[in-house]
Every structure is written in structure tokens, then in C-alpha cells.
Amino acid sequence: MKKQKIKPQILVFLVIVSVSLMINNNLIASDTSAQQKQQAKSVIQIWLWGGPSQNDTFDPKPDAGYDYCGPLSKSIPTNVPGIEINDSLQMLAKQADKFSIIRSMTHGIGAHETAAYYMQTGHKPGVGLVYPSLGAIVCLFRGYGKGYTGKIPPYIVLTTSQGRFSEEGFLGPGYKPFVTGGDPNQKVFAVEGIISRDVSDQMQVKRRELLKKIDTLGKSMPGCPDFELFNECEKEAYDLILGEPRKVFDLSQEPDTIRDRYGRNWFGQTCLVARRLVEIGVPYITINYPGWDTHKQHFQTMQRKLAEFDQGFSALLEDLSSRGLLDTTIIWCCGEFGRTPKIEWDPPWNGGRGHWGNCFSSVVAGGGFKGGCVVGKSDSKAEYVVERPVYPEDLLRSMLILLGINPDEQMPNDKGLDIKVMPYPDNYSGNGELKEIMEK
Amino acid sequence: MKGNNCCIGLKVYFSGFLAMIFLFPCFLSAQIIHPVVKPYEDEVWSTPLNLIDLQIAEILKKNGLKMRNPCSDSVFIRRVYLDVIGTLPKPEEIDDFMKDTKPDKRARLIDNLLEREEFALYWTMKWCDILRVKSEYPVNLWPNAVQAYYQWIYENIRKNQPYDIFVRELLTSSGSNFRVPAVNFYRAVQSKDSLSIAKAVALTFMGVRLEKMPENQQKNISLFFSLVTYKGTKEWKEEIVYSNPDTTKTIRAVLPDGRFREILPEQDPRCVFADWLISPYNEYFSKNIVNRIWAWLMGQGIISPVDDIYQKITDNNKNILGTLENELIKSNYDLKHIYRLILNSRTYQQSSILGEDKPDIFTQFAFYKVRQIDAEVLLDALCWISGRYEGYVSQIPEPYTFIPNTNRTITLADGSITSPFLMIFGRPSRDTGLESERNTSPTDKQRLYLLNSSDIQKKIKSSPVLKKAYQQVWKNKKESINLIYKIILSRFPTTEESSICEEFFTNSGLPADQSAMTIAWALINSKEFLYRH
């Protein structure tokens, strides 16, 4: 082969290009390292399933009158000057410096399943594909094969699934969350499949030996690849049933003071489990907190639920923060929508609130979100957004960015789809990600 | 394995035509090549060779392969029950079959199963997967239409409607989605434009991904659905589907086989397409359905995947597909005839045992493919063993679907009504109609659930069906073990298995009834229970 001489002009050009590339690279490198320093590692999604009232929680309107406030007509100052929340959230008021409130969430949808889909996938329900939830996306970019090696599955749902929502979307069954079942407020948190109340470890070992001996078909075709995969899965299962990792679900390891601080009820203890999962590096945890669809018995329900919610959520913020975990853990808390600001006093509701997707609140904390801020503004009754509408995709994209996942990059998938992680829709007219509360 | 080597050796000596003459009688005789594995295999065939076997013999011969041994009667009854009616055989049904000594008993059992109520129920479930019957996102049929559509599909399968008529009605009906259920075919698509409809039609009835066809052809097929129109009524979620004629325009479209059609304004283009679709000119219509039935029964299509057969017809599969297609057309599109043909073949009735051989060195026809039981069938089997019904509740309003507590899982009409079990075990979501939506690979979560969940624990412990075995254990351990085996694995234990169980009674340190429960647990977790084999 003949050696080719490079012309001097080209050489100069190449030098300029490479130098500028180096500078650019440096800039990018320093940029990402800054990001990595405070990059979020885990997400706790507190899903207020059914849709909680914005008026009765984070967007109180005490001046709107009894038809809008009912008995929950007071607001209280928080530890952040200028921010008030509903009087029903006394303990959270003392933690307001740790979280920010978005008071202008909106999507206009009034049906549970479509609103839940939009809020958790960032895609309007429509034609074509079923998109994966934020949890499934995080699982794709931060789960097995992407740095996570824990035995506990990377995407956990505490404690029951949402039923009508398929979290994995087109990503397929590998990205479905592990749903724990059980109740952490019981003596034993019987995580379905992992922790059995009735079978001792010693008996588990004996059972496993018997199973191995009795597996006549399996033994007669040792080369079968299907069976080999089956055996692998069984080994993984036993690593959980008999191994150390399951201890993460054992709340008896926590001091009583801590357990009491979270509240001795399902929600409180579930928050505590979520903290323990974050500690061992589980990237995504959803707390499915049902019971917020309060068409009837609204205020009776709120009185009971808000006390639990206030205690558990505030404990989680305080605890994560004191352990230095809040900087790397995003908490986002909201339902699929809010509730009608005007109370429905007439029968059959007798003092209830209906579905409301035009304006509602969402709370974010940690993982690079600033605390002590309010984003957006609702009108005098919390019926409509008056300032900075925040759409589900704005919120979800913000979280992805804090996790170091570029929402505009290609989404790997086995369907051969040419698709981005979470692009803005074509007709998007919002204000973009929540830069105002994201630490640089 | 020795026999196998011998055959390969022979092939070297007697190449070409000579080998064919020599080997063919070898296949025809009941000579056994593979060592017999008990309790899964028999020494001798009582099933005669049929039309299919002759075709398969040729394919195997070309590849220097032998069919496996005949599966034993206990394997057969379980296999054919699960494959044909999605149901485990009951102990008394097993007894009757095992006692029968007539050589045609397998053929009679097949005939009997094809007429069972569960046949219609199980295959309605399969068709609902393909036709995407679900009330919610992304299909959005809504509960009323789901019920109407489900009933219509069920009736067609129950009366064994000729397949061509079934398909034509699906494609050419007009009217309300509540009153003319077949129109729901056009509603159960993710997007109601003509290209999406054409995609669904090609996928469902031709086994072809439209996007793999040349763009020009895609456009032409879409033209036949370009007049499909949807109109709401004052009834909640009622929709009229019809072909809205454009009275001035003549549509000129080319069929996938290149034939040209001029559709006059008074014609419904859907009918023109449907008539072509079900005609013998269409090389995909009958191939698609016989290939699918083959896959449903044998675990793998002659062409795979079954919903992507475009341009995959080769010399190797042409003959066997052709034989089945001829039979289908000759029988006037009687699908049960195809079931019967496959089920009565030795190809279907051969063993699944591969020993240490890897299946990849065999072609797909030289064994029965093991695969996990469908989620719905598995849950029904567990429910039957545990003597308690699962019970389903619909969360989908307007109107809420009432599901009687005693309904089996395979009868769930609505793909949107589900349970954690069904999701873990891979029930299809019915979003796309692709067969690959059903996940039959084992997962960690499935193993955790069966090994250690409170649900399974409870099912085993409080089962009135197994109770007899738990009680008997104090008097006669052997009888108790026999009964547990028959209920769960549809057979008696081997001597070796009996002694493993006896030993467990002695060494487990558990009271006898709890030992029996643990044995039941182990069998439910065995591959033999969880797989069709």
C-alpha cells in the first residue's frame, strides 16, 4: 500500500477540529461530572391512588368558602416563609424545606385509567403503542445489566398492583414490577413468594431437597434449554427465599422509635420499607396507596387518611434526609388527578369530591429537586391553572434528567421500534422541565 | 442412541435413492430406535401412521432423523386434555382411559374431547387473544361489546362454523357493535385508519406482517378498507360500523397476488377483499390457519413465528403445509378435521423426551415440544386441585361485568379483567394480537410464587380434593401417595418415586399429613406438572 501524504491545509483544519472537540469534550465532561455528583440513584413514587383533593392538601384555599373547603378550611404556615399548606398536614409543614409543591399540574383527563396512564408514562392515551411507566424506564436504564446487581428486583411495588395499569408497556414482561403483597404493619411482612409465615428455613431446605429428588421429568432430559432456564430461575428464587437480601423486608430490625415515628399503620410502615429498599440501592419503588377516590364520605375519609399520610410521608423525608439519602433519592407524590374543588353536597354524594384533571398538586423532593419552592399557581378555588401549567411529561422528563437518563435518547427495545425515551409530543405547548426547582 | 448412529452410518453407505428405499420401511415398522424412558414412553405404537406421518417421515429422513418413541398412555391423556380442552383429566377419566384396552382408544378419546364444552371455551379464549378482545386501552372495545363479541366467537366455535364463513362474516358485517357482534373486529384495532385495519387483517388471517410487504401492496390492501366508517349512537359506547359508499367514485385496487379489482360505487370493497381472501388463489389464507393449529398443538409452527410467514414458504415446509391445506379445503374448512388429523398422528403422539440431546440438533418434527402450561389453564388446574374457585371482579365500569364465582379462568371474556397470577404467568395483554404476547418462558417471579406464596400454600393445605389423601396417610401411605400423584400428575408414581416419598415421610420430621402436603407441594412445583410434555 502506498502511504498518502496529507496536505498541510487539511492538517491545520484537523488540528483545529480536534482541539475544538477536546474543548467541547472537556466542557461536556465537566458538565456530566457535576451532574453525577448529585445524580439521583433511586425513586420513591408515592401514588395516591384514586386522586387526592388538592384543596385539602397542598393547595389550600381558605378564602374560597365552605362550599370549597368544607371542614378543612384552615391553612397553616410551614417552615418555609410564604408557603402555606392545609392544616391537615401539620407534620409535613415542618418539613417543607425538603420538598417542593407543584400547584399547576394539569392534563384535563377525568377517567382513572387514562389519567393514571398519562401521569405515569408521560404519554397521552391514544393510538398505537402502550408506553412503559417511569418505573419500567428506570428499570431499563438502571436495572440488571445497567449497574444494578442486587438480588431484590430493581422495580418494587408496595404492596398491591394498580390492576388496570400495565407498567411494563411495550418493553415486555421483563420490566414488570415485583409486587410484594403482604402488609408491613403485620408481625411478619409476608412478601409474596419471598417470606413465608408458615415454613421455617430448615423446612425450606428439606422441601427443596425433596423437589430435586422427585423431579423425574426434569432428570430425564437434562439437556433441555427450557428446563435449564427453569432451574436457573428456581435458583434465583431460592437465593431470595433463603438468602440475606430478604432481610430488607424485616422491619423487626428497626428500632421501635423509628417504627413509631413512621406510624404504626400500613402506609407508615410501607414508607419505612421503601427507605430500607433505597438503602440497599433498589432503583425504583412505587407505594400504591389506595383509598383517595372519595366521591362519598370524603371528609371522614380525609380526616383518617391525611393523618396517616402526614405522619408517614414526613417521617420518610426526615429519615432519608438525616441519613444523607435524600440527595440521591427522588420522591414524587401525587395521584392520577385531583378532585373537584366545589364540594358535591347533594345526594348521592352527600359531601364528596369528584375527579378533577384540570388542576391539581404534585409534590417532589430530593434527588436534585430543590426543597421549599412552589411551582405554578392555581386560581382562587384551585379549579384552574393560572400560572405555569405543568404537564405529566414535564414532571417525568425532569425526573429522568435528574437520574441521568436523557429523555430524548433512543429507547432500546426488542420490538425494533425507532423510538425515544420520553420525547415531547408534536403539538407540545408547555413550559418544559421543572428547571426552576432542579439543582444545576 | 446407538440406533441413531447406526442410521446415520447407513445413510453414508446407501446414499440417495438407495437410502430412501432402505430407510422408509425402517420408519414404517414399529422398530424403536431410542431407548424407552419410563414412565413417559411406550415400546410399541398402537397408533397407525396417518397422512401427516408420511409427510413428516420424508422430512425426517432427509435430515437423517428418527421420530421419538410413542408417548405412554398416561402422558397422552394429560397432553391431549391440556392441548385440546385446556383442562386436567380427572382421576376417574384417567381410570377409564387406562382400563380401555382397545387399540383405537386414543382416537376415541380425541373424538370425545373435540365435542366437549371445554373445547369451545378453551379455543374461544385463544381466538379472543388473536382478535384482541378487551374492554380497555389500547383496544377499547368496552364491556358490552366485549360480551357480545365473546359470545359470537364462542357460538361460532361451538357449532364448528366453517372457517371461511367465520372469517368472511368478521370482515364484511355492518351494524351496531352490540347487535352485530362481528363488527367488533373493526373496533378491536389500535387505530381505526385503513392501513391499521389492513395490518390487523393481514396479521390475523394471512399470518403476514403487512409492513414487510412492498409499500405499494400495503396501500392497495388498505384501499379495500378505506370506506370503513364508525358512527356513535345515543347508547353509551354503542358504535355502528359500516362501509360508507362514495357514490361517485370507483375504487381501483390491486390484490396482494397482483389481480386487479375495480370496485363500483354500489359495492362494499370489504366484500371484494374477503372473497379473495378466502379463495384458493390466496396463498396465505389456509396456510395461516393450518400452520397456527399445528403450532397450538405441537408447540411450534411449521413456519415460525406463525404470524410472520410472509415469504417463508420453502421446499421443506411446502408439502406438509400443502397436505394440511388440501384437507382443510376438502373438508369444507372444518377446523376440527385438522385438529383430528394432527392429534391422531404419530408425530403428535411421539414422546417429548430428548434425553441429553439438545433440541437444536433435531428438526422440530422429531419430538413433541415441551412448553409451560398457559397461565389461565395452569390457574384452573391449581383451582381444581385446591377445590376453590379464583373468583374475578371487574374494575371496569359501564356496565360492571358480573362474573359468577364458579367461572373458570379460561372463560374470562375480557382481556382487561385480570389478576396478579395471570400477569406473572404470562397471559397475553391482547394489545396487538401477536402470538408472542403470551409469555411461556419461566421467570424468577413465577418460581417464587409457586414455591413460596401464601396463595399456593393455602391452596394445597385446605384442598378438599387432596383432603382424602391427607386423611388416608395415617392408614396407608402408599395409597395416599398414589392418589396425590394421580390428582396432580395424572399417573401413578414409579417405584423409585414411591420410595423417595416413603423416605420423606420417615425423615421429614413432620406429621404424616403435613408430609403428604409437602409431597403435593413438590409435585405442583415439578416440571412434569408445569409443562405440557
Side-chain angles (χ1 to χ4, degrees), chain A residues 189-217:
Chain A
F189 177 22
V191 176
E192 201 60 290
I194 297 180
I195 292 150
S196 166
R197 261 192 299 242
D198 310 320
V199 189
S200 68
D201 283 3
Q202 197 195 358
M203 190 44 65
Q204 291 281 15
V205 173
K206 276 192 182 168
R207 278 158 59 124
R208 190 180 184 182
E209 277 166 16
L210 174 69
L211 178 57
K212 220 171 178 177
K213 277 191 203 157
I214 224 166
D215 180 26
T216 313
L217 184 69

Side-chain angles (χ1 to χ4, degrees), chain B residues 42 84 124 162 235 242 247 427 441 452 458 460 472 517 526:
Chain B
D42 278 353
V84 180
T124 303
E235 187 80 33
Y242 63 106
T247 47
R427 183 198 194 208
S441 301
N452 203 28
K458 195 165 76 193
I460 293 168
Q472 207 165 28
M517 284 174 207
S526 71

Side-chain angles (χ1 to χ4, degrees), chain A residues 392-408:
Chain A
E393 55 265 41
D394 301 333
L395 173 58
L396 297 186
R397 283 175 61 97
S398 304
M399 287 193 268
L400 284 171
I401 290 167
L402 290 179
L403 286 156
I405 301 166
N406 179 357
D408 294 315

Side-chain angles (χ1 to χ4, degrees), chain A residues 39-104:
Chain A
Q39 197 173 70
K41 290 180 187 143
S42 297
V43 179
I44 299 174
Q45 174 191 353
I46 301 178
W47 183 248
L48 306 177
W49 192 3
S53 159
Q54 64 279 21
N55 301 60
D56 301 340
T57 54
F58 296 101
D59 197 6
K61 302 287 177 184
D63 300 332
Y66 192 68
D67 277 354
Y68 289 85
C69 301
L72 295 174
S73 58
K74 265 177 70 186
S75 67
I76 45 162
T78 62
N79 67 350
V80 178
I83 298 181
E84 299 209 342
I85 59 176
N86 198 290
D87 174 52
S88 56
L89 304 173
Q90 301 261 355
M91 294 169 103
L92 276 165
K94 295 186 191 111
Q95 307 288 335
D97 58 321
K98 299 191 179 66
F99 61 80
S100 288
I101 304 169
I102 302 161
R103 285 184 172 154
S104 53

Side-chain angles (χ1 to χ4, degrees), chain B residues 52 109 146 299 393:
Chain B
I52 290 175
L109 180 62
V146 162
V393 180

